[in-house]
Amino acid sequence: MDITGEILIGNASVSAGETFRAVNPATGATIEPDFSSAGPSEVEKACALAADAFDAYSETDTETRATFLETIAANIEALGDALVERASAESGLPLARLTGERGRTAGQLRLFASVVRAGDFLELRVDPAQPERKPAPRPDIRQRHVALGPVAVFGASNFPLAFSVAGGDTASALAAGCPVVVKGHPAHPGTSEMVGRAIRDAVKSCGLPEGVFSLLTGPSKELGGALVSDPRIKAVGFTGSRAGGLALVDIAGKRREPIPVYAEMSSVNPVFLMPAALEARGEALGKAFIGSLVMGAGQFCTNPGLVFALEGPALDRFTAAAATALKDSTAATMLTPGINAAYKAGVDALTGNEKVSLVERGQGGATENACQAALFVTDIDAFLADERLQDEIFGASSLIVRCRSIDDMRRAAQHLEGQLTATLQLDEADVEAVRPLLPVLEKRAGRILANGWPTGVEVNHAMVHGGPYPATSDSRTTSVGSLAIRRFLRPVCYQDLPDALLPKALRESEAGALPRRVDGILQTR
Ligand code: NAP
């Protein structure tokens, strides 16, 4: 597939605005071709088309929509090696990682196809009329969930496939019945265009209205702001920085009609090393921890950025093993010069903090934007006294916090901001010590895991990739897994409507076609 650098607005390919190029973060070299920058006129056209497409697309039957999602997955796979090669050049991520990410992207689309076919996302409910009820008759009330409207999606830099143009936000919005306008991440415009064309081809071959999908490229905050401000956009999906997410929440809240922004922003993913586990396998834990920390240059929203444990010889063994593993770790290229600069500034701030000591650095790197990993240590009093010590440093940096007691660990958990994950390393003898910690962690995190590491997020039905602020802007939701579809739906009920006027799925003749709850009792097909 040729990459043209054009903006994709429905069926049209548009050249506009000043041009920009992708940069190979490993070499600093720019990569052809020139890409157009969308402005207000392109935002206007994409949103108008999306609004035009909404009624027809949101009422497509479940089979049509599921087939559309599967066609996108197949089209992305058909792009072959060219897609992962382009993504690697634009992101510095290795081909093997991106090949896995492509599988995850296609898998996510197919998961949402299965969710759409199953039909329970519509949450059909029927409370039939009871004309004889005393003192007043009960009306017939039926409910379904409907799509919110056109959704703006902001692709993330750190997953150029799985959290970008055809990532989880797009897949779940399309599954819900919402047209999508993507604001492509400027770090990987060629990858974005290839995937965007794959989606557009699926729109065409499935006979859907062209406005179901558009891709606006451009390296400017004005573009994202204009998109979120457009009155035809009814919800936003975002993954990126806290500052970026909050800026969009602010814009969305000040609209004449405020809209929900589902922003996944920052998390430091605390790990609690419980005493028996630390005693029994401190060295192995130290080594495994570094494996999780340096993976992908630490550029994961689930990177383990804080470790809490009781001070003593077992923690010393953990720290020594971690330091040895870190010293040997090679420096991987970071996604963009900006991310590398932010990482260095975060590491410099910890280095200059007199209450924090450097444990070890990883190896330096030969590439332009190499991430030299860093591990620091502090004590619980310093941690509790300085809010900055729980700021996200996006990249391979982590801080060990030495605690005096289990109660200190509990106080630390209470002191934490909202998180995507909280990890417990525990043995059987730790169960009673963990019990009082759990209610605190439930209030702080979207996912609590035992004896694993937070990096690596399964895409399935039970996954929660969300959490209280600042992990996300809305703790009631997840951006990964099938429940992500709920973000783009709202309930509508119909009271005493004649059968002929009801949405098809709620008519009496459709009983048994899709799962529905009748008088509170779930009836499956
Ligand atoms: P970002 O700066 O937040 O940008 C993400 C997207 O949002 C880009 O398309 C960007 O457009 C847009 N955007 C950002 N601020 C905006 C604003 N004020 N108004 C309108 N649009 C805005 O994230 P990034 O470039 O991926 O990485 C930068 C930092 O984000 C990292 O250092 C890291 O701290 C954090 N990050 C976190 C995660 C996570 O999973 N939690 C993932 C990636 C990055 P433009 O670039 O065109 O302005």
Side-chain angles (χ1 to χ4, degrees), residues 132-270:
E132 311 304 327
R133 191 182 72 172
K134 302 286 183 216
R138 184 173 89 166
D140 179 284
I141 301 185
R142 292 165 190 248
Q143 185 196 115
R144 68 167 179 162
H145 277 61
V146 299
L148 285 185
V151 170
V153 169
F154 286 74
S157 59
N158 58 338
F159 280 86
L161 299 172
F163 277 80
S164 193
V165 176
D169 285 344
T170 297
S172 52
L174 291 175
C178 300
V180 166
V181 181
V182 173
K183 192 287 186 186
H185 198 289
H188 53 263
T191 310
S192 298
E193 183 184 327
M194 291 176 86
V195 174
R197 288 185 183 277
I199 300 177
R200 174 199 273 188
D201 288 349
V203 172
K204 276 189 207 160
S205 66
C206 293
L208 297 170
E210 59 172 319
V212 165
F213 175 78
S214 291
L215 168 61
L216 303 175
T217 47
S220 84
K221 305 214 180 322
E222 289 71 27
L223 170 56
L227 183 58
V228 174
S229 301
D230 191 286
R232 290 159 290 204
I233 294 295
K234 301 298 180 194
V236 180
F238 169 93
T239 304
S241 64
R242 191 190 303 200
L246 287 182
L248 299 182
V249 169
D250 194 43
I251 293 169
K254 288 185 174 141
R255 287 170 37 135
R256 186 182 169 91
E257 177 198 357
I259 52 169
V261 177
Y262 301 109
E264 193 229 295
M265 300 176 290
S266 66
S267 180
V268 284
N269 307 296

Side-chain angles (χ1 to χ4, degrees), residues 4-15:
T4 64
E6 292 162 310
I7 300 158
L8 309 182
I9 302 178
N11 287 333
S13 303
V14 178
S15 296

Side-chain angles (χ1 to χ4, degrees), residues 170-488:
T170 297
S172 52
L174 291 175
C178 300
V180 166
V181 181
V182 173
K183 192 287 186 186
H185 198 289
H188 53 263
T191 310
S192 298
E193 183 184 327
M194 291 176 86
V195 174
R197 288 185 183 277
I199 300 177
R200 174 199 273 188
D201 288 349
V203 172
K204 276 189 207 160
S205 66
C206 293
L208 297 170
E210 59 172 319
V212 165
F213 175 78
S214 291
L215 168 61
L216 303 175
T217 47
S220 84
K221 305 214 180 322
E222 289 71 27
L223 170 56
L227 183 58
V228 174
S229 301
D230 191 286
R232 290 159 290 204
I233 294 295
K234 301 298 180 194
V236 180
F238 169 93
T239 304
S241 64
R242 191 190 303 200
L246 287 182
L248 299 182
V249 169
D250 194 43
I251 293 169
K254 288 185 174 141
R255 287 170 37 135
R256 186 182 169 91
E257 177 198 357
I259 52 169
V261 177
Y262 301 109
E264 193 229 295
M265 300 176 290
S266 66
S267 180
V268 284
N269 307 296
V271 177
F272 295 84
L273 306 174
M274 302 311 291
L278 190 60
E279 181 63 38
R281 48 199 167 92
E283 286 173 19
L285 286 173
K287 200 169 163 208
F289 158 61
I290 296 301
S292 175
L293 178 68
V294 302
M295 192 193 296
Q299 300 168 117
F300 292 113
C301 40
T302 50
N303 195 51
L306 276 176
V307 178
F308 299 97
L310 299 190
E311 59 194 2
L315 179 57
D316 294 343
R317 287 199 300 279
F318 169 91
T319 307
T324 304
L326 189 68
K327 202 171 176 186
D328 292 342
S329 72
T330 49
T333 304
M334 299 197 85
L335 293 155
T336 66
I339 287 177
N340 189 234
Y343 172 75
K344 283 181 172 158
V347 168
D348 285 350
L350 277 189
T351 308
N353 187 319
E354 59 178 19
K355 300 280 185 190
V356 173
S357 307
L358 178 69
V359 174
E360 190 55 272
R361 296 292 307 255
Q363 292 179 14
T367 62
E368 278 277 311
N369 293 294
C371 173
Q372 188 186 6
L375 181 61
F376 298 92
V377 67
T378 191
D379 61 52
I380 182 69
D381 294 333
F383 178 75
L384 293 176
D386 188 348
E387 297 288 342
R388 294 169 304 170
L389 294 184
Q390 56 173 309
D391 284 350
E392 181 188 54
I393 299 174
F394 193 67
S397 171
S398 192
L399 175 65
I400 298 170
V401 181
R402 300 173 75 96
C403 302
R404 289 169 300 245
S405 62
I406 295 289
D407 202 48
D408 274 353
M409 290 170 84
R410 198 163 165 272
R411 286 200 298 146
Q414 275 168 335
H415 180 71
L416 286 169
E417 293 187 310
Q419 306 290 335
L420 292 172
T421 71
T423 300
L424 295 156
Q425 295 292 346
L426 72 145
D427 278 359
E428 225 174 298
D430 292 315
V431 166
E432 288 313 314
V434 167
R435 214 180 284 286
L437 210 52
L438 273 180
V440 183
L441 297 183
E442 279 172 354
K443 293 187 191 80
R444 296 288 177 275
R447 176 164 61 113
I448 300 168
L449 60 146
N451 294 332
W453 300 98
T455 40
V457 181
E458 289 291 325
V459 183
N460 55 24
H461 300 286
M463 176 51 66
V464 174
H465 191 63
Y469 177 85
T472 73
S473 56
D474 189 336
S475 66
R476 296 165 296 179
T477 62
T478 173
S479 63
V480 176
S482 58
L483 275 181
I485 196 172
R486 286 197 178 162
R487 298 174 300 169
F488 304 117

